[in-house]
Amino acid sequence: MGTTKTTKILRETRKPPEKALENRKLFTERQKLITNSLANGLQSIPDIAKESGLEPEVVTYVMMSMRKYGEVTEIGPDEMNEYFLYQLKPKNP
Amino acid sequence: MKKIVEQNQAGMDESLIDYDVLVIGGGIAGDEAALKLADVGYKILIVEKDLSIGGRMILLSKVFPTLDCSACITTPKVSETARHRNISIFTKTEVKSITRRQDNFFDITILKRTRYVLETLCTGCKECEDVCPILIPDEYQYNQVARKAVFIPFSIAQPRIANIDIDNCILCGLCEKKCPSDAIDFTLVDTYEHLVVKSVVLATGFRLFNPTVLSRYGYGRYKNVMTAMEMERQLAPTRPYNSVLRPKDGKMPDNIAYLLCVGSRDQTVGNPICSQICCMYSTKQAQLLLGALPMADVTVYYLHVRAFGKGFCEFYNQALSMGVNYIKAKVASVREKENGNLILRYEDFSTGQVEEQEHDLVVLATGILANAEIESVFKGEKLELDPYEFVRQKDMLTNPAITSISGVFAAGTVTGPMDIPDTILSAGAAAAEATAYLKKLS
């Protein structure tokens, strides 16, 4: 544990794919926009889309991925019982 | 590799044999055939190109007509397969060629693709996954949510071993640094191996129809048009979202449409046959949706409801009594409104009128297609296919598991569309035929 020996060996013959680097940048930007939006309190997907300027389907995909990895959690449906409300999950100390 | 050294009565040199039977495909058909053959003492190798055995069934929510949990049925079966002392499993491995030898055995070439993870060391702890910074669409959730570049495909994967998606890996080294058992090794490479087996069972399954071909239904263009397999994941306990939601905006749908026979019984897309399972899986999903979303309306647009199996008709009647609306109709097109709702234009067969109806989610019940790739691995002998490119059965009434090649048997949907019980029966038939063949060989 603790070394990156074989990663370095592969890096000598293989460069990280450009597309993967771009995707990472894009995903991180979107994640940041959603996090900023959720920092203001409980939000639904359309609320976040409106505030962040992201397409709603992008918010659905990125936020559900954040939920999968424990960064976001759902609280319950809104008053109209149409959309779930989400909040940031407190980080483990 | 350990060789079987017993002498054969027919004078064949059995010391050459690596395995008695090669089973190609580790889905439910391949696993069942392997278990049956292993139970009578034969040494079996399952070669699976995916990262886990269990095939599509392990990804389903529930099964029809019993509504039993699919994972609860599949998990014990794949565990039994993985633990059986007579069964070896190679995942992320493809069969590249099969050639009959003069002694009637088969020479097999396989390509083992590396996971960049030492399989004997990985404990499946997922610590590598926690630190990986890359998020890309998760194919095991039908791209509805992301996964990491280093990942375990799903929680009940068998084997539960991490895999590195090297095409999306930025070689940051965080996973290697974090791994507590030093299992990650980027110097590993793909390897070819050669084996000798006595017999082969084909269990390579099916493909699902790609509905982007039928642009009139808007799949791929309208986010709220999804496939039944995508809905299957939303209904499973290990679903991508927190509930059943519209992919476009996360709304809980309350008026859902199912379109049956998408890419099946349709000569225009080259698939004139019935897929056998779409009517019933749609009926199953409709019932599950009414359970998950009690206020929702579900409408099924169908050409014919084919409820032919044991308990199927009762299952259909149960859906009707729960309030699922069935409309005998041909849907001509789907168009999207600004709010993401979808307008279906269809001919209602009961009135002969062209009607339009608004829904907030449309599910396409896509058909089953043949997975004909296996044909090309046979060298020197021809694996015959039927007109729909499924493996041709020598006699589908009397010898359904026998193919055009002696010693090669077919299990499950490699021979045509069928449901899970029929797949299990077919796998049993393939195992019985293979046993008879092996007995004759010795």
Side-chain angles (χ1 to χ4, degrees):
Chain A
M1 185 183 173
T3 76
T4 55
K5 200 174 82 183
T6 69
T7 313
K8 283 175 186 158
I9 294 170
L10 188 60
R11 284 189 88 135
E12 285 169 15
T13 55
R14 185 187 176 101
K15 280 187 175 173
E18 281 295 321
K19 203 179 157 195
L21 291 165
E22 280 167 27
N23 282 345
R24 182 197 177 189
K25 197 177 158 198
L26 192 63
F27 197 95
T28 309
E29 282 170 9
R30 289 169 169 176
Q31 216 170 352
K32 206 174 276 179
L33 286 169
I34 291 171
T35 306
N36 289 344
S37 187
L38 285 172
N40 300 330
L42 297 179
Q43 302 262 37
S44 68
I45 289 173
D47 293 339
I48 298 168
K50 206 171 168 185
E51 199 169 310
S52 64
L54 294 169
E55 290 293 327
E57 61 258 39
V58 173
V59 177
T60 307
Y61 173 75
V62 176
M63 199 166 68
M64 288 303 149
S65 304
M66 292 167 72
R67 180 185 167 274
K68 177 179 172 181
Y69 289 103
E71 293 173 48
V72 168
T73 187
E74 66 279 2
I75 296 302
D78 61 9
E79 283 176 4
M80 300 294 287
N81 210 24
E82 277 193 318
Y83 295 95
F84 274 90
L85 297 172
Y86 300 89
Q87 70 174 17
L88 289 172
K89 229 174 173 176
K91 283 190 176 160
N92 289 333
Chain B
M1 199 162 288
K2 199 180 172 189
K3 304 274 182 182
I4 298 163
V5 290
E6 292 153 17
Q7 278 299 308
N8 182 323
Q9 286 181 349
M12 291 168 171
D13 183 1
E14 295 229 359
S15 67
L16 295 167
I17 299 296
D18 295 299
Y19 299 95
D20 292 306
V21 184
L22 166 69
V23 176
I24 309 176
I28 201 73
D31 292 354
E32 179 69 13
L35 281 170
K36 291 283 174 284
L37 287 160
D39 281 346
V40 288
Y42 292 117
K43 300 284 180 195
I44 312 299
L45 172 65
I46 298 176
V47 168
E48 168 57 53
K49 70 177 177 185
D50 210 334
L51 299 171
S52 169
I53 60 169
R56 279 206 174 74
M57 188 179 168
I58 207 165
L59 297 174
L60 301 181
S61 55
K62 297 195 176 192
V63 295
F64 63 78
T66 57
L67 292 182
D68 286 324
C69 161
S70 184
C72 307
I73 301 167
T74 322
T75 308
K77 182 82 82 180
V78 298
S79 293
E80 193 186 348
T81 308
R83 285 159 196 245
H84 203 295
R85 65 192 174 94
N86 288 338
I87 299 177
S88 303
I89 301 169
F90 293 165
T91 50
K92 209 177 177 184
T93 301
E94 289 170 39
V95 175
K96 302 308 279 186
S97 72
I98 301 175
T99 314
R100 188 184 297 279
R101 298 158 53 92
Q102 285 198 333
D103 54 14
N104 232 8
F105 299 153
F106 293 95
D107 275 324
I108 311 290
T109 305
I110 57 171
L111 171 59
K112 294 179 85 173
R113 297 194 188 277
T114 182
R115 292 173 181 252
Y116 298 96
V117 172
L118 294 161
E119 299 188 11
T120 50
L121 294 183
C122 179
T123 60
C125 69
K126 296 181 95 171
E127 288 199 26
C128 53
E129 202 170 321
D130 289 342
V131 295
C132 178
I134 297 296
L135 283 148
I136 47 169
D138 183 352
E139 60 271 45
Y140 295 95
Q141 295 285 12
Y142 287 78
N143 302 328
Q144 296 177 91
V145 72
R147 65 158 169 82
K148 298 291 183 79
V150 55
F151 66 108
I152 288 171
F154 44 89
S155 55
I156 51 173
Q158 182 64 253
R160 191 181 155 86
I161 295 171
N163 175 69
I164 293 175
D165 173 356
I166 201 70
D167 294 330
N168 286 295
C169 173
I170 59 168
L171 300 175
C172 63
L174 289 173
C175 54
E176 188 181 5
K177 201 170 179 182
K178 184 73 179 179
C179 180
S181 52
D182 289 328
I184 292 175
D185 185 347
F186 281 98
T187 64
L188 296 172
V189 292
D190 297 346
T191 52
Y192 281 93
E193 285 186 17
H194 300 281
L195 311 165
V196 179
V197 303
K198 292 180 181 174
S199 176
V200 178
V201 171
L202 306 176
T204 49
F206 60 93
R207 289 182 298 125
L208 281 170
F209 177 76
N210 176 2
T212 53
V213 173
L214 295 170
S215 61
R216 62 179 179 271
Y217 295 146
Y219 180 78
R221 206 164 67 248
Y222 308 143
K223 287 287 170 191
N224 291 333
V225 178
M226 63 196 305
T227 66
M229 203 56 209
E230 289 164 354
M231 177 55 81
E232 198 68 40
R233 290 307 309 152
Q234 288 216 20
L235 290 163
T238 51
R239 56 188 167 232
Y241 304 160
N242 51 291
S243 177
V244 175
L245 301 176
R246 300 204 308 182
K248 189 177 172 84
D249 57 5
K251 180 178 178 282
M252 283 180 275
D254 54 23
N255 188 359
I256 303 156
Y258 273 80
L259 272 59
L260 303 195
C261 298
V262 175
S264 53
R265 302 177 68 204
D266 186 349
Q267 191 69 60
T268 66
V269 295
N271 187 32
I273 60 171
C274 170
S275 288
Q276 310 256 348
I277 57 169
C278 312
C279 292
M280 285 299 112
Y281 75 57
S282 300
T283 299
K284 173 195 76 177
Q285 289 189 2
Q287 294 185 36
L288 295 176
L289 279 167
L290 292 180
L293 305 164
M295 301 306 288
D297 293 320
V298 182
T299 305
V300 179
Y301 294 87
Y302 70 98
L303 295 175
H304 302 97
V305 172
R306 293 186 164 172
F308 54 84
K310 189 163 88 175
F312 288 10
C313 194
E314 292 77 4
F315 192 60
Y316 166 61
N317 287 332
Q318 181 174 291
L320 287 172
S321 66
M322 287 172 75
V324 179
N325 184 25
Y326 284 79
I327 297 179
K328 189 173 172 65
K330 179 75 180 166
V331 177
S333 65
V334 177
R335 67 176 195 277
E336 190 183 49
K337 286 178 69 178
E338 205 173 324
N339 64 0
N341 285 0
L342 300 144
I343 307 290
L344 266 64
R345 187 175 170 83
Y346 64 95
E347 182 189 349
D348 186 328
F349 289 168
S350 63
T351 63
Q353 299 295 309
V354 174
E355 309 272 359
E356 288 196 338
Q357 186 65 48
E358 185 170 336
H359 295 275
D360 57 8
L361 187 68
V362 170
V363 183
L364 306 178
T366 52
I368 282 178
L369 301 177
N371 194 2
E373 283 172 22
I374 193 65
E375 182 201 15
S376 62
V377 307
F378 287 91
K379 310 297 175 194
E381 282 179 290
K382 174 129 183 83
L383 180 72
E384 290 179 14
L385 304 180
D386 70 14
Y388 315 110
E389 298 198 319
F390 289 98
V391 170
R392 190 175 75 77
Q393 295 155 291
K394 196 171 177 189
D395 185 330
M396 69 190 293
L397 296 179
T398 57
N399 302 107
I402 294 182
T403 70
S404 58
I405 301 178
S406 171
V408 177
F409 305 96
T413 53
V414 73
T415 61
M418 63 184 77
D419 61 17
I420 292 165
D422 283 353
T423 298
I424 298 291
L425 277 172
S426 165
E433 293 286 5
T435 305
Y437 174 83
L438 292 167
K439 288 280 179 204
K440 276 186 207 161
L441 266 192
S442 59

